[in-house]
Amino acid sequence: MTGPAATGPDGTGMGSTGTGSTGSTGSTGTAGTAGTAGTGPMLEVRDLHVQIASRRGLVRAVDGVSFEVVKGDALGIVGESGSGKSMTLRAILGVLPPEARVTSGQVLLDGQDLVPLRQTDLNRIRGPRMSMIFQEPMSALNPVMRVGPQIAEGPLIHLGIGRAKAAERALDLMRRVGIPDPERRYRAYPHEFSGGMRQRVMIAIALACEPEIILCDEPTTALDVTIQDQILRLLAGLCRETGVSLVFVTHDLPVVAQVCQQVAVMYGGQLVESGPVHEVLHDPRHPYTLGLVRSAPDFDNVRESLVPIPGSPPSLVSPPEGCRFHPRCKFAEEDCLVTVPPLKLLPGGRATACLHHERCIEALEAERAAP
Ligand SMILES: Nc1ncnc2c1ncn2[C@@H]1O[C@H](COP(=O)(O)OP(=O)(O)OP(=O)(O)O)[C@@H](O)[C@H]1O
Ligand code: SF4
Ligand SMILES: [Mg+2]
């Protein structure tokens, strides 16, 4: 793990912002991913803020999020519903809904900031350099276009190859993602495919122009467990074989452990913990991550029953002062009510935005020592 990019002189500050007059934002240091596969960050998100105009007021959907993804690595982003995962991905790719906008921050793809780019410039990046796989492939596929030409379209436009070569490429991709009998299925329509096969088509489209990074927003949530497992293996395998980087948003912690090397945990529009996936999920350093792990099957080797996190996620129109997790945190102290915790660097390329993260260690030790 490369770790956060900006570290204060005391090793604790990570370029945190928003601790001033607005009190609106928390930690914004760059939680990086391990340099396990490549050389430098392929993608750097720096202090990203996304606001959405709504009838309830201004929703601060993404509030000072920073992370980086190294070439060839997979970063999982986890967090409860409404924590800002999808808006983060959409802001990176420049496909926010019309009522949402990036108010500040940078999205650096190989050093180039995408935030100021116009849609026409972004169109040259989407596909050949960066692509996205959505949760529901049916909504992303063109229902009246045969799937083969949909896969061939990107290479035809972006790679400057002729129709025949693009079709050949589409067939090859269909084979690679495990679509049986691709010659026949090339001319089928999306509705003739099962959910799992449609998601394979989406993956083929995402891979078609050999992007450097693929953003995946819950790509397997709509699928049954067996198909889900096949798709995850496929994605993890492609990541290894092709060196493509992944950002993988999911609610599902075992899925993150299966596919990703690194994980970033979001709460209330902010990043609260990050680091190597095994360490973070098995030895959390943020009470919210601890709660997520306790409430997820397959991750709690301490207790036999699942323990839901009490309370509900914060309003992103008027979030709590201080640490946004304080109304739900059993370790909260007085300072948590007024101080926005900066993302603090920990050994092993980890980071946490908790003022009392050592309480997690104590709690885990006490549970493990219990008969
Ligand atoms: N079109 C919109 N108008 C107003 N608020 C929105 C809109 N879309 C999303 N939001 C709000 O923005 C916040 C972040 O939403 P986002 O979709 O990124 O969450 P998420 O973490 O992806 O959740 P989920 O796990 O349910 O997909 C939420 O509070 C959500 O209610
Ligand atoms: S201990 Fe305080 S800073 Fe840490 S998560 Fe709980 S409320 Fe937030
Ligand atoms: Mg989402």
Side-chain angles (χ1 to χ4, degrees), residues 132-141 147 151 173-174 177-179 190 193-207 214-224 227-228 230-232 234-235 238 248-249:
M132 187 153 171
I133 302 171
F134 295 90
Q135 177 176 341
E136 187 28 79
M138 205 54 195
S139 60
L141 292 170
V147 298
I151 301 169
L173 282 160
M174 289 172 79
V177 300
I179 297 173
F193 282 64
S194 66
M197 283 298 149
R198 280 200 287 266
Q199 200 52 293
R200 286 174 197 262
V201 172
M202 272 308 301
I203 295 170
I205 292 173
L207 284 169
I214 304 180
L215 311 177
C216 309
D217 194 357
E218 312 225 25
T220 59
T221 310
L223 305 174
D224 74 48
I227 309 296
Q228 197 176 67
Q230 289 170 11
I231 298 286
L232 292 173
L234 173 67
L235 278 169
L238 288 168
F248 200 100
V249 159

Side-chain angles (χ1 to χ4, degrees), residues 286-287 323 325-326 329 331-332 336 341 354-356:
H286 192 285
C323 173
F325 190 55
H326 83 249
C329 181
F331 303 139
C336 305
C354 174
L355 301 173
H356 305 289

